[in-house]
Amino acid sequence: MQGELLRASQSRPPEERLRPDRSRSDCPVLLSRSLVLRAPHEEDIDALAHLANNANIATMVSRMPHPYTAKDAADFVRRTKAGEIGKCVYAITRGDNGAFLGCCALEPQADGRTLELGYWLGEPYWNRGYATEAAHVLIDMAFRTRNNIDHIDARCRVTNIASRRVIQKCGFQFQGTGMIDCLALGGMVAVEWFRLDRKTWMSLRSWGEMR
């Protein structure tokens, strides 16, 4: 089914592919060249628990426990459905076979004009361009459908070279450093803060030069 959705989407112009279905919500299913971004559901629990139970991932994000169990995965799916983790939480899946790859999200910030981008991928899917592709389609959706949004922020640990590369390929500009709490490590870690403003996104919206 997801393969059929993707093929149908790719037959339309790029501007139409990202146009949300207003009968759904603020966070429509998103289609890209090789991915489908959709709400997490119960069928993802086993794959989610398997991929997320990895210290290499948990220590690079702020809110993921380690070890990560099937109970944690089921609770995550329940909380996303209840809107307890923010409105736009997506499962990243393959468009051709529906395989669950990881998650991404946009979280509103207190000023009402900024979103924060977050993402993670299972280790078997690293270095294939999936994170950048998912970030592109999520950023495009946010700026195209939410006129009140001026900025999107992203943060990564100073040691996370791969995540920094994704952020930079999406056009984000370095803003500074800081500290955030890491649940898996039980303490604070150093992070770099990046920002993408609407004007910069408009100049890069084809993403052609950023790949």
Side-chain angles (χ1 to χ4, degrees):
M1 179 63 179
Q2 286 184 330
E4 293 173 3
L5 282 170
L6 183 63
R7 286 191 292 274
S9 170
Q10 289 179 330
S11 69
R12 302 195 302 271
E15 290 290 329
E16 293 185 6
R17 292 182 203 170
L18 294 171
R19 186 172 299 152
D21 180 351
R22 295 299 180 184
S23 66
R24 293 182 57 86
S25 71
D26 288 352
C27 306
V29 172
L30 301 175
L31 310 176
S32 64
R33 179 178 53 83
S34 57
L35 300 175
V36 175
L37 275 57
R38 53 152 178 83
H41 50 60
E42 284 77 6
E43 288 78 6
D44 299 322
I45 288 174
D46 288 344
L48 171 58
H50 173 70
L51 293 175
N53 188 31
N54 183 337
N56 292 331
I57 296 171
T59 57
M60 291 295 167
V61 299
S62 61
R63 303 173 191 169
M64 185 180 288
H66 185 74
Y68 194 96
T69 67
K71 182 179 178 181
D72 292 318
D75 187 57
F76 173 81
V77 172
R78 179 193 63 78
R79 290 168 64 209
T80 59
K81 284 189 172 184
E84 296 176 11
I85 312 179
K87 289 186 176 180
C88 281
V89 179
Y90 285 98
I92 304 171
T93 69
R94 283 273 300 268
D96 55 356
N97 60 16
F100 177 90
L101 310 182
C103 290
C104 60
L106 288 170
E107 182 176 345
Q109 301 302 288
D111 65 358
R113 311 291 298 182
T114 305
L115 300 172
E116 180 154 349
L117 171 69
Y119 53 85
W120 67 268
L121 285 176
E123 192 166 357
Y125 306 108
W126 292 359
N127 301 314
R128 301 189 189 184
Y130 292 141
T132 303
E133 186 174 341
H136 281 173
V137 72
L138 203 55
I139 291 164
D140 284 348
M141 182 274 290
F143 278 132
R144 284 175 174 155
T145 65
R146 302 184 183 188
N147 294 330
N148 64 311
I149 296 302
D150 296 328
H151 309 100
I152 298 177
D153 287 353
R155 289 173 173 82
C156 67
R157 285 193 62 184
V158 297
T159 56
N160 195 339
I161 297 171
S163 187
R164 184 186 304 113
R165 173 97 176 123
V166 170
I167 291 167
Q168 291 173 335
K169 285 197 291 184
C170 290
F172 286 77
Q173 301 297 310
F174 178 75
Q175 302 295 308
T177 59
M179 302 290 291
I180 63 169
D181 187 58
C182 177
L183 181 61
L185 292 173
M188 304 293 285
V189 295
V191 296
E192 295 175 335
W193 166 38
F194 298 83
R195 171 165 283 183
L196 177 65
D197 61 58
R198 180 177 290 275
K199 184 179 294 186
T200 302
W201 167 76
M202 290 180 69
S203 70
L204 300 172
R205 63 191 305 170
S206 70
W207 299 116
E209 297 301 318
M210 303 303 295
R211 291 198 174 102

